Each structure stands twice: as structure tokens, then as C-alpha cells.
Amino acid sequence: MNIRVLPDTLVNQIAAGEVIERPAAAIKELVENSLDAGATKIDLLIRNGGRTYLSVTDDGLGMTPEQMILSVQRHATSKLPNDDLSKITTLGFRGEALPSIGAISKLRITSRPKGSEAWELNVEGGKKSSPKLSSQNYGTRVEVRDMFYATPARLKFLKTDRTEFSHIMDAVYRLAMTNPEVAFSINDGEKVKFSCVSETDLTGSDPALLRRLSSIMGKEFFENSLMVSSEIEGVKLYGYASVPTLNRNTTRYQYLFVNGRPVRDRLLHGAVRAAYQDFLARQRHPLIALFIDINTELVDVNVHPAKSEVRFRDAAKIRGLIVGTLKQLLSSSSQNVSTTVADLALSKFQSPLRDPNSGLKSQLPLRERLFEGKNETSKIDYPPSGAIESLKNVQFVTEVESPNKDNGEIISKNYPLGAARAQLHATYIVSQTEDSIVIVDQHAAHERLVYERMKKALNGNGVIRQGLLIPEIIELDDEAATRLVDRAAELTELGLVLEKFGHGAIVVREVPSLLGHTDTKSLIVDLADDLKVMDSELSLRERLEEVCSTMACHGSVRAGRQLNPSEMDALLREMEVTPHSDQCNHGRPTYIELKLTDIERLFGRR
Ligand code: ADP
Ligand code: MG
């Protein structure tokens, strides 16, 4: 048996397999190098998703020819001056990136430190040539051609150019977010695909960080995010988080940075989910960028060659900090939420005088639409089927005097949500306050109220149950039935009493009385789905609250049910005293408010 030390090129190709798995990984390493070199401007040129050509040009420190030769040597770095892995303050430290890239592609480094000439060094499939004079501005340009040509097996794993390009964008976004003072641009050979200017104003109401985050996450984020800032035992947490009404169906827009390093950590998504769960449906996710500053000795960044994972000494503490800070933030600012929605609503009110150019049918002024074509109203099922259902199920708190025409005036002055004046389309309650018109989505609002009541009951004396006169037998598949029966004890605590009923069926004996007469079968089916996808990381309490949310949705007044004036007012009064009642459990607003001043503006009175 012949044991031998592998030649350098092969070693570097093996390392490249871990460090440089795709063009975006090379970009990440190169941009990190530019940042470590103190660049204030970083420009990227990417062709064919980085496969045929990519370059990163910076205005950083630059390298002398001697430094360039060392830079492409394995495990050569300028970044661990004290040989101490527990005190890493730079993005790089492993000295692997340049030699790895050089082993799998045609690499050219051109660099010019201040007060010196420019030199160029080429490495091709691991073979280095000696530096030669070149020309270039101060700083460094690293060019990579024909990536993976030396390791064709890896080349086959690359996805389409577009996909690779979007991975590159994502890598740059992350680094741009944590370095607002550095300007970035990305060109795909045809045009500039992304650029952001150097943000240096760290103070003011729209500080540099928020502006930078918004240049990536959009104007919406700028207008609809909350500043995060807290600290425990020397761990600092800051950043921006979207209000729940701004959300996405993916966690892609949730970013975590630890000591300035973008990291991917499952801890983040779980913590954000726990914090927002009162405000958002399970499939919706807020946009968020959180930065943690922590003593470098309390976190290990040397977990993975790509340095994109970290390990906290005390992960539970970090999770607690994130969940606690966000929860606090959301509950203290939840009343701001729907004003942004009102702005949106207002912009939808198109007055014919304001927008003479609008040619779209849907944007035609009401007056014109009225006389347009055949009269379709007669075909519409109105009031909607089921609108005139029994009102017995609607359970509102009715401590408040119901208003009549005389005290409506007083109510609109004294209560934030005003006096109910009408119900429209059996769905919306319109009320009048002292200086505005409020439109409430009755289903969304009631859902929130039921949810908050259930949670309160859960924390207090328990949920009051109501026996079903005839226990309901529900057929499910066996797996779903078992899932429910396994959780029977928890569900009982929530007021839902069920047990197994033979193979693949359960029998429901009691339901939470809060829910009124609900469609038990569809509730059970939804709950079974819930339990299936429910995160095992959630604590029991968090799980219970999720179940509450599903139940609340089933127990709420449906859109399409007519309410009488005192029921409408009762709903408004209860909303006023219920926390978070301005949005439903799915993060949709429950009401919008149109100020009289805005309405006057629409009519040209102002
Ligand atoms: P690491 O970043 O882990 O040190 P690299 O292989 O990425 O390892 O880079 C090796 C060395 O080359 C760095 O330590 C740095 O001294 C030098 N270097 C790389 N890129 C640049 C750059 N853009 N500007 C100045 N120096 C650079
Ligand atoms: Mg590096």
C-alpha cells in the first residue's frame, strides 16, 4: 500500500469542493476579501451566471506582488495575526478561498496598493505564473474565467445561468446589508442589475442601515418596518422587522448577521415564527434583518468551510432574546399597523378628476361604469347566500349600551372606533368617529376577538366547554385521527373534547363554547392538518396558541352574516379593549380608517 501526500493542486481542488460549491460561493469569498481589505466601493461583473466569467473590483488596500504570490497559497492569510481562532474579527481567516478558486478555474488577480504600480498574477487550474506588470486603479480586481473547467464533475451540478445569478445576487445582498457604508454594483454584462450607494448617515429618522436594507428589500420595507434594538448581558440585538401586514410566503427575506457576518441559522426562522405567530398565518413570513453583536468568544464561526454557519455557546439565550424583543416590539406598536393600510386604501380611491388618463375599465369612474353595457347586478346573488342566517351563534360582549340615533353622536366622540352606522355587503361595518370613517371587516375582527378570548381563558381558568347534544362522529384517515387523539389532553385544555371512535374516526363530545355553533367537521379537519405541519420546536404553549388560532377562525362571524346595530357596536367596543385587535390572526388588517381630511382632499375641498 502506497500512502502519499497529495499534490497541492489536488488538495486545493478537494478544498474547493467544500468552499466553492457554485459561482455565488466564489463571489461571497471575493467580496468578503474586498471588505476585509477596507473597500468602500465594490463592483461586480457576472457573465452567464458566473460560469464563464466573473470579476470583483474593489478600491481597498491592494497587494504587492509578494503578497499576491502568498495570497494564492494554501492556508496563507493576513488575518489571524495572533493565531487565535477565538478572536476572529475579519470575514476571512482560513486562507483557502483564492487557492481553491485558482485550482478549479482560470484566476487572475490584478492589484495596486497606494503609491505603487499594478501587478497581475495568473493561476490556471492550480498552475501559478509569476507576477507581471499591469495597469489598474488603486485596489484589487479578481477575475475568474471558466469556473470548474478543471473539475468537470462539479460543472454538471450547476443550475441555469439565471438560478446561479440569483444565488450571486443573494450572496451580495447579504454582504451589502451588513456593510451600508460600502457602495455595491452588479452588472450582468448587459446592464446594471443592482446598485446601492454608500450610506454614511448613521443618525436621523431614516438611518443608513434602514436605507440600505430598503434598497434591497424595497420601498415597502422602508415604510413598514419597525426598528429593533435591545441588549442582554452584553449581547446586542438590532435591525429592522416588517410589521405583520407586510409579509411573504417564504422565509427568504429573513436575514441574520452575527458580528457583521451573514449567517444561515435555523434558529432565526423558528424564533421569528414564534414571535409573529399571534399576528400571521403559518404560511406567511415577515421580512426581517437582525444583527447580533456578541463577544467573539461566545460564538464559533469556524463550523463550516463556507463560514455561513455559526454556533452560539448559549443558543437558548439568543433565541429568547430574539423572541422576547420582537414580541415586545409588536405588541407595543400594533396600533400603528393599519394606518399604512389606510394610505393604501386612499390611493385606491380614484376620483375621475384626479386621474384623467386612466383608461382601464376597472378604473373607470363609478358614474361611467353604472351606465356601461348590460346591467349585471340582477344576476348577482345578493344578499349572498347564507347572509340571513340565525344570529343566535353570534356571541358578543354586550355590556355597552347599544346606541340609538340620539347617543350615536356621543359614542362617535368618545370611542376610537366610533358609532356603527351601517353594515355593507353583509361583511363590512361602517362607523363614524369624530374625525374619520372606519370600515371594519367583521370576520377578521371577530376572529381576532375570539382568539384573544381563548388565549385569555387559557391563561386563566381554562376554556369553557359546551357539550354537544349529539356527539359528532367524524371520519378521517387513520393517521390524522391518531394525530388528534395523541393530542387529546392538550385539546381538552382548549375546550375540545374528542376520543377515538374505531378505525380512522373520532367522536367529538364537547367544543369550546366561545366558538358558538361551528362546523365541527371542518374544524377537526383543519386541526388535523395543523398538527401535521406543526413545528416540533414549538413549545407546548406556542402549539396551543396555534390551535387557538385555527379554532378562532372557525368560530368567527362569517362574512355574509347580517348584524343588527347593537351587535355591530358591541363588536367595535370589544375591539377597542382587546389587544392586537387591529389585525386578524393572519396579519390582515381588521379595519381601515379614512380621515375626514383625506376624504375632503379627494373631493377637492382642501
Ligand atoms: P482569507 O481571506 O481567509 O485570508 P483568502 O484566500 O480569501 O483567505 O485570501 C488570502 C489573502 O489574500 C488574504 O488574507 C488577504 O491578505 C489577501 N487578499 C485577498 N483578496 C484581497 C483583496 N481584494 N485586497 C487585498 N488583499 C486581498
Ligand atoms: Mg477570504
Side-chain angles (χ1 to χ4, degrees), residues 417-428:
L417 291 177
R421 290 303 198 192
Q423 185 195 28
L424 302 183
H425 297 284
T427 301
Y428 303 104

Side-chain angles (χ1 to χ4, degrees), residues 450-466 484 487-498 508 510-516 518 523 527 530-531 534 539-552:
V450 172
Y451 176 53
E452 292 293 336
R453 264 190 261 162
M454 286 189 84
K455 275 205 316 186
K456 207 162 139 197
L458 197 64
N459 292 324
N461 302 328
V463 178
I464 297 168
R465 301 196 294 263
Q466 181 187 12
L484 284 162
R487 295 283 169 76
E490 286 166 47
L491 294 172
T492 302
E493 206 182 317
L494 291 166
L496 187 69
V497 179
L498 52 79
V508 179
E510 292 173 68
V511 297
S513 58
L514 276 174
L515 297 186
T518 153
L523 168 65
L527 279 180
D530 254 12
L531 295 174
M534 212 173 264
S539 69
L540 177 64
R541 166 117 335 230
E542 287 167 344
R543 285 208 303 263
L544 287 179
E545 291 187 354
E546 274 204 24
V547 173
C548 278
S549 167
T550 301
M551 294 216 246

Side-chain angles (χ1 to χ4, degrees), residues 4 13 92 103 117 147 154 158 185 196 254 309 344 407 449 461 477 494 585:
R4 64 181 180 127
Q13 285 180 351
E117 295 180 284
M147 185 164 235
R154 180 57 68 119
L158 292 188
S185 78
C196 55
Q254 298 184 348
E309 282 172 39
L344 181 76
N407 67 13
L449 298 182
N461 302 328
D477 63 82
L494 291 166
N585 313 342

Side-chain angles (χ1 to χ4, degrees), residues 29 33 79 92 97 307:
E29 294 295 335
N33 282 347
K79 301 173 191 174
K307 299 163 292 179

Side-chain angles (χ1 to χ4, degrees), residues 465-484:
R465 301 196 294 263
Q466 181 187 12
L468 295 176
L469 276 181
I470 307 162
E472 193 159 342
I473 293 157
I474 292 163
E475 307 264 358
L476 298 157
D477 63 82
D478 197 43
E479 195 203 334
T482 313
R483 235 181 285 131
L484 284 162

Side-chain angles (χ1 to χ4, degrees), residues 6 40 95 118 123 129 268 341 410 436 438 470 491 556 594:
L6 295 174
T40 65
V123 183
S129 57
L268 174 73
V341 183
I410 303 164
S436 69
V438 172
I470 307 162
L491 294 172
S556 308
L594 298 173

